[in-house]
Amino acid sequence: MAIGDELSSLNFESMIGGPLNAVIKAQAQSAVTSVDFIKAVGFDTDDSGNITGPTMVSFKYKRPVEETSADGSVTVSVKDFELTVPFLTMLPIPFIRVEETTIDFNAKITSVQESSSTSSHGLDTELKAKAGWGWGSASLKVNYSYKKSTSASSKTERTYSMAVHVRAVQDELPAGTERLLGILENAIKETPVTAP
């Protein structure tokens, strides 16, 4: 088999298409994982699994507040405040995008064919003659030999290697997700805590 025949028998469609399909499936799985993350972390659900609203985090803190009295004097007092923030706005949302895929394929095919042929010829003759009074006698003996031997051997070594390099990066948020986060940021409220 010639080297060109060896290479033409390889299924390049599956060798190159297989890793590309795997990258596309990984990209789709990454998108589904991002959606599941947003649902699980960013929104509260009722017992039926329906979304009831964004998950909010509230915490209290103290900060100084300037107050101006009627006579114009300014006093600074420390007051308690409560801040309510949508939890989703405080987390990095995982949006992974495959930026580059490189497929390296190497094929090394070594083919060795060896043949040898030997032949030999042999001729052996013998002539005997007797003469005497009367009829004589003569004999001729001939031997011919032919010998041919042929040997052939073939050896083919195949070595294939494939390397797939995938480079993934954090992608920009889709427009809908950015808008959702913008709306949630507008829901951040700081309110003074009234004393009981």
Side-chain angles (χ1 to χ4, degrees), residues 6 9-10 21 25 28 41 62 64 70 82 88 96 108 115 128 130 140 150 162 172 174 196:
E6 277 286 340
S9 68
L10 297 176
N21 283 334
K25 286 179 183 175
V41 173
K62 296 180 183 289
E82 182 176 22
L88 196 59
I96 302 297
K108 176 185 174 187
S115 64
K128 291 182 183 177
K130 287 184 186 179
L140 175 63
T150 303
M162 180 184 290
E172 294 179 9

Side-chain angles (χ1 to χ4, degrees), residues 2 8 23 55 63 66 72 85-87 91 105 113 118 140-142 147 153 176 192:
S8 66
V23 167
T55 302
R63 75 175 171 92
E66 291 183 2
V85 181
F87 191 60
L91 299 173
F105 176 72
Q113 292 182 344
T118 60
L140 175 63
K141 183 178 177 187
V142 177
K147 179 180 177 186
S153 64

Side-chain angles (χ1 to χ4, degrees), residues 14 27 34 39 43 47 78 82 84 91 94 132 142 159:
S14 65
Q27 182 74 46
S34 297
K39 281 182 175 177
F43 295 96
D47 294 337
V78 176
E82 182 176 22
T84 304
L91 299 173
V142 177
T159 304

Side-chain angles (χ1 to χ4, degrees), residues 177-189:
T177 306
E178 281 188 21
R179 186 161 182 192
L180 171 66
L181 290 176
I183 292 169
L184 290 176
E185 284 175 6
N186 291 334
I188 296 174
K189 289 189 258 179

Side-chain angles (χ1 to χ4, degrees), residues 48-60:
S48 319
N50 298 321
I51 294 176
T52 58
T55 302
M56 304 297 275
V57 177
S58 297
F59 54 93
K60 293 181 182 176

